[in-house]
Amino acid sequence: MIPKVTKEIIDLGDGRSISIETGKLAKQADGSVVVRMGDCMLLATAVSARTANPGVDFLPLTVDYREKFSAAGRFPGGFFKREARPSDQEILTMRLVDRCLRPLFPDDYHAETQVMISLMSYDENVMPDALAGLAASAALAVSDIPFYNYISEVRVARVDGQFVINPSKEQLDASDIDMMIGASKDSVCMVEGEMKEISELEMIEAIKFAHEAIKAQIVAQEKMRAALNLTYREYEPEETDVEIEKIVHDAAYAKLYDIASHASAKSERGEKFAEVYEEVKALFSEEDLEEKGELIGVYFKKTQKEAVRNLILDQGIRLDGRKTTEIRPIWSEVDYLPSVHGSSIFTRGETQALATVTLGTSRDANIIDLPSEQGEEKFYLHYNFPPFSTGEAKPLRGTSRREVGHGNLAQRALKNMIPADCPYTIRLVSDVLESNGSSSMATVCAGTLALMDAGIQIEKPVSGIAMGLISDAKTGRWAVLSDILGDEDHLGDMDFKVTGTNDGITACQMDIKIEGLAYEIMEQALKQAHDGRMHILGLLQETIATPNATVKPKAPKIVTVTIPKDFIGAVIGPGGKNIQALQAETGTTIVINEEGDFGVIEVLGTDQDGMDKALASISNTTFSPVEGETYHVKVVKMLDFGAVVEFVPGKETLLHVSELDWKRIENVSDVLKLGDELDVKYMGIDPKTKKAKVSRKALMPRPPKTEKKDNAPKQESK
């Protein structure tokens, strides 16, 4: 017997709706729901351990999102026909959901928690990642897990000036905004997206529009929970000790405040903070340290955070001595690496990124093969964050989710500035060499410089900046910080990254760690971000004002030609014989793509002579004379009844003796000899011989007709 389900419908107001149901699938999970929009269906489950592991002082939350190929009626690609490691797109969706959920769990809840979301049925008109946040929160809402402040996420686009919630791919392609917004009922907690140079005001309007749609989705979750009559589980809160907390605070606060008030570098400041920590530990016995050591460390970090935050709110002084609106010193350089196609160094304070550009053909495009998306990226960016960038020694375990996310943000910031007619596939790599705050924004700046150095004619340079927030709910005080340090990110309430050109915003990413962020604060952050971006943009243009006119000598040049589809086989040759021989002979790379009735050929090479030879060979292979046109030909063979002439190497035809001149020619050799060059007119296919016909005499003036003489005697008139 099919179990009874509890269901809620969310009306999107334009004829579309989203349903949430629970009670049918995955009932051994603490909470499970199926979210459906059109034919798109997501299954989300939430499970949390009943007790926390000893010594854990954080929330060990795992969010997993996977797309089943069966959802779209497709087989997984590759040799093993099974879904394996998550794709970058799946990882990005996991990050979007995680960033919304994590700050809203109780601060003292430390039990292992896992949220899993699976695409079970795909609808080509529905983008499933926009439903993942709703599914995750709904699964928690129908469980006893102590998650009290529900959230949802929506995608907002703007098509023909009108905002659209959860657009189709077709609508998104026509939009100038692609933003994912996550929020609770009261406040926005996450924003990420790309834009085509919109203003700060337009961005705020899009966020507000999305928030209204999210509120309706949260009401549906609340109704579903109420219908199920659920209660939250009890859990053991983290250990506290008021006496130890007071000892630590009294001993450390003033010293930490004083250290923070004197500008210092990251390493120097860290050493001084560590000295104070050792002094605090010296106040306790060995027995206390063994029994309460972790708690002492927790209270020390809490005191340190309080001291730094109060310093900023009290005096407007930051850890490195800057004012709240001040940007760290910046220097940059291009053409640093001699053998790469484009390179740059961008250094801001103690954050440094080295960017490199590699140019290739369409064969080097990044292939996207997912149930929900198939295609290619001709511009893609990879971000690497090695442990030495923060002075640490850590094991390397492959590309992290953070690296995927930061690389994607920088890619979205720059991609709309790549010209649509750029013939190259572009791989941009950012290696972070030092990090103390916003290496992703350093990547955007370094990427702009490297692209310009490589000779890519980007439409406009792009800069980026990270904004922070320190707030005090009790007093109502707050301060927005421009160009945040790593410590300010860790101790602060917001990380708001904004990128753009002189004319508008191209990408953003915002994470909020507190509830109830006012739009007034967001507006101030965007205003300061604009001023900071313009400052940084000016410095970038001092390093390189415009893109280099040409690519570097060691970088390949690329020429694209279009040929009729019928000639593709001739260029390739049997088994690829012709094209392989041509590449070997000319030192070029030749790629052919079939597009409709044409073949698009890309010729890539560093030697211009080799490229010219390859292009000439392709032109010869695809040569087809046009009736009525004149061609300069060469005599390659003499015959009794004419001469064989060559249009281009490999394309020959007969010039018959009768077409040499208007007068009768007895011997062809009287007019032509081997190797002669002459002009002929192509007459088309001779209907009698069914062969191509050319004529020399057709280009010569036709002699006048000779009049016949009348020998009859004239009769005299009488």
Side-chain angles (χ1 to χ4, degrees):
M1 180 177 177
I2 298 176
K4 181 182 177 182
V5 301
T6 301
K7 190 171 186 177
E8 284 292 330
I9 304 293
I10 302 163
D11 186 0
L12 295 181
D14 57 2
R16 299 176 301 155
S17 64
I18 301 171
S19 69
I20 313 172
E21 74 171 35
T22 187
K24 184 181 288 187
L25 302 183
K27 291 194 290 181
Q28 292 193 49
D30 291 331
S32 71
V33 296
V34 172
V35 172
R36 178 169 183 169
M37 181 175 174
D39 288 339
C40 177
M41 297 174 68
L42 298 177
L43 169 66
T45 60
V47 176
S48 187
R50 296 287 166 175
T51 58
N53 291 326
V56 174
D57 63 350
F58 63 94
L59 174 65
L61 171 67
T62 302
V63 175
D64 193 84
Y65 171 79
R66 301 299 177 101
E67 296 186 353
K68 307 288 187 182
F69 275 83
S70 59
R74 298 182 58 227
F75 285 88
F79 183 78
F80 295 103
K81 299 301 179 184
R82 180 173 185 152
E83 291 88 353
R85 67 176 301 275
S87 67
D88 283 0
Q89 282 71 20
E90 289 169 319
I91 288 172
L92 293 170
T93 303
M94 297 175 199
R95 281 175 51 84
L96 289 175
V97 177
D98 186 297
R99 285 158 48 199
C100 271
L101 296 181
R102 190 176 294 274
L104 298 181
F105 276 89
D107 291 339
D108 60 353
Y109 187 69
H110 300 153
E112 182 99 24
T113 304
Q114 187 176 53
V115 176
M116 299 187 69
I117 312 152
S118 299
L119 174 66
M120 309 301 288
S121 177
Y122 173 63
D123 184 333
E124 62 182 8
N125 295 314
V126 178
M127 302 184 72
D129 58 341
L131 302 174
L134 169 61
S137 180
L140 289 164
V142 299
S143 75
D144 65 344
I145 300 170
F147 182 77
Y148 312 124
N149 200 357
Y150 311 134
I151 62 99
S152 189
E153 294 175 355
V154 298
R155 173 177 272 109
V156 61
R158 185 169 64 178
V159 183
D160 298 328
Q162 300 296 316
F163 290 123
V164 180
I165 294 296
N166 292 355
S168 65
K169 284 185 179 178
E170 185 177 351
Q171 289 175 312
L172 195 61
D173 289 340
S175 172
D176 62 348
I177 295 175
D178 176 8
M179 291 173 61
M180 290 286 286
I181 289 90
S184 64
K185 208 171 184 180
D186 301 321
S187 65
V188 175
C189 56
M190 188 280 300
V191 177
E192 179 154 338
E194 63 183 76
M195 310 87 182
K196 294 180 179 176
E197 298 181 282
I198 68 170
S199 69
E200 285 76 10
L201 179 60
E202 290 172 311
M203 182 173 163
I204 292 288
E205 289 175 351
I207 294 171
K208 289 181 177 179
F209 182 79
H211 196 189
E212 290 304 311
I214 286 171
K215 290 176 183 178
Q217 297 184 9
I218 293 172
V219 168
Q221 296 176 57
E222 293 172 339
K223 287 182 179 179
M224 178 171 279
R225 182 176 181 85
L228 295 169
N229 195 27
L230 297 170
T231 58
Y232 293 109
R233 73 176 63 165
E234 294 184 1
Y235 66 93
E236 186 177 345
E238 62 185 8
E239 182 184 1
T240 59
D241 190 314
V242 177
E243 184 179 348
I244 290 179
E245 182 176 12
K246 186 177 186 308
I247 293 171
V248 172
H249 186 276
D250 292 347
Y253 181 83
K255 295 178 181 179
L256 295 172
Y257 192 96
D258 182 63
I259 292 170
S261 65
H262 292 82
S264 58
K266 178 182 176 182
S267 57
E268 179 188 352
R269 187 168 59 247
E271 289 174 2
K272 290 180 178 179
F273 283 153
E275 289 174 5
V276 177
Y277 183 43
E278 291 302 318
E279 291 174 10
V280 169
K281 289 199 295 182
L283 299 174
F284 297 92
S285 66
E286 290 186 9
E287 292 78 8
D288 287 338
L289 290 174
E290 186 174 347
E291 183 180 350
K292 302 287 187 178
E294 291 181 359
L295 204 54
I296 293 169
V298 169
Y299 289 140
F300 181 82
K301 290 178 182 177
K302 183 178 178 182
T303 304
Q304 180 182 337
K305 181 176 181 179
E306 181 185 353
V308 173
R309 290 166 64 89
N310 283 343
L311 175 68
I312 295 171
L313 293 173
D314 294 342
Q315 303 183 40
I317 297 176
R318 301 165 66 177
L319 290 169
D320 57 359
R322 285 181 293 147
K323 298 176 183 178
T324 56
T325 59
E326 195 173 347
I327 312 299
R328 286 173 288 177
I330 291 171
W331 67 266
S332 58
E333 179 182 345
V334 296
D335 197 23
Y336 179 70
L337 301 174
S339 296
V340 303
H341 299 165
S343 65
S344 71
I345 305 171
F346 177 84
T347 306
R348 185 190 58 242
E350 295 176 297
T351 297
Q352 183 178 77
L354 171 66
T356 58
V357 168
T358 306
L359 306 178
T361 67
S362 58
R363 187 183 295 167
D364 301 303
N366 186 34
I367 307 299
I368 299 173
D369 183 25
L370 290 168
S372 60
E373 184 181 1
Q374 297 86 47
E376 293 182 344
E377 290 179 328
K378 287 196 68 181
F379 170 70
Y380 50 97
L381 188 152
H382 292 151
Y383 165 101
N384 299 315
F385 192 84
F388 66 76
S389 64
T390 54
E392 298 173 286
K394 293 181 179 178
L396 299 177
R397 305 195 185 282
T399 306
S400 68
R401 290 186 179 187
R402 179 181 180 278
E403 288 172 307
V404 171
H406 279 30
N408 178 69
L409 173 62
Q411 177 175 323
R412 300 178 87 177
L414 294 167
K415 75 174 189 180
N416 287 321
M417 293 301 110
I418 305 296
D421 60 354
C422 178
Y424 291 102
T425 291
I426 305 169
R427 181 180 183 235
L428 177 58
V429 177
S430 172
D431 290 297
V432 178
L433 306 183
E434 295 180 49
S435 180
N436 185 13
S438 193
S439 53
S440 62
M441 296 298 93
T443 292
V444 172
C445 298
T448 291
L449 295 172
L451 288 167
M452 295 170 76
D453 181 53
I456 300 300
Q457 304 302 306
I458 61 173
E459 295 178 6
K460 298 168 191 174
V462 181
S463 66
I465 189 171
M467 312 300 296
L469 172 69
I470 302 294
S471 63
D472 186 344
K474 294 179 181 178
T475 63
R477 296 182 302 166
W478 54 271
V480 173
L481 311 180
S482 296
D483 180 24
I484 57 174
L485 300 170
D487 287 342
E488 291 171 339
D489 183 6
H490 176 67
L491 301 172
D493 301 322
M494 176 180 74
D495 181 10
F496 194 176
K497 302 180 178 74
V498 187
T499 74
T501 67
N502 268 317
D503 298 321
I505 299 171
T506 60
C508 72
Q509 183 183 92
M510 180 179 73
D511 292 313
I512 305 298
K513 305 170 189 176
I514 58 172
E515 296 181 28
L517 177 71
Y519 281 104
E520 176 191 4
I521 297 176
M522 197 181 300
E523 290 169 1
Q524 177 63 31
L526 283 169
K527 180 181 181 302
Q528 280 184 219
H530 177 271
D531 295 341
R533 284 193 294 107
M534 295 303 104
H535 169 72
I536 296 169
L537 204 54
L539 296 177
L540 297 182
Q541 291 176 302
E542 287 179 11
T543 299
I544 179 168
T546 58
N548 289 330
T550 60
V551 298
K552 294 182 179 297
K554 291 187 178 181
K557 301 173 181 65
I558 190 168
V559 177
T560 302
V561 294
T562 302
I563 64 172
K565 180 180 177 180
D566 295 341
F567 285 103
I568 293 177
V571 174
I572 295 174
K577 179 181 177 181
N578 293 356
I579 196 169
Q580 289 173 12
L582 184 59
Q583 290 180 111
E585 179 187 348
T586 60
T588 59
T589 299
I590 303 172
V591 177
I592 303 179
N593 296 307
E594 188 176 317
E595 296 181 8
D597 293 331
F598 297 94
V600 179
I601 302 180
E602 300 170 6
V603 179
L604 190 87
T606 56
D607 178 57
Q608 190 62 50
D609 289 340
M611 292 183 67
D612 291 342
K613 286 181 181 179
L615 290 167
S617 176
I618 292 168
S619 177
N620 293 343
T621 303
T622 59
F623 175 81
S624 182
V626 178
E627 186 173 345
E629 293 293 320
T630 299
Y631 295 95
H632 193 70
V633 298
K634 181 179 181 180
V635 177
V636 294
K637 192 175 183 180
M638 298 292 291
L639 302 172
D640 292 339
F641 50 87
V644 176
V645 295
E646 181 183 66
F647 291 103
V648 296
K651 294 293 177 74
E652 301 170 351
T653 191
L654 175 68
L655 173 59
H656 195 269
V657 65
S658 63
E659 296 296 330
L660 286 173
D661 204 321
W662 288 105
K663 63 184 179 182
R664 181 179 178 83
I665 302 296
E666 295 294 340
N667 297 309
V668 179
S669 58
D670 293 340
V671 179
L672 296 175
K673 63 180 182 294
L674 196 66
D676 279 355
E677 296 183 6
L678 66 155
D679 290 335
V680 296
K681 185 175 183 179
Y682 180 62
M683 311 299 290
I685 303 298
D686 191 319
K688 294 181 179 179
T689 64
K690 306 300 181 184
K691 294 182 179 180
K693 180 179 178 182
V694 293
S695 173
R696 176 175 176 261
K697 74 179 183 182
L699 299 175
M700 303 169 68
R702 190 184 186 106
K705 291 183 178 180
T706 305
E707 293 184 8
K708 294 181 180 180
K709 294 181 179 181
D710 189 357
N711 296 323
K714 293 181 180 180
Q715 196 174 13
E716 294 182 8
S717 58
K718 293 181 179 180

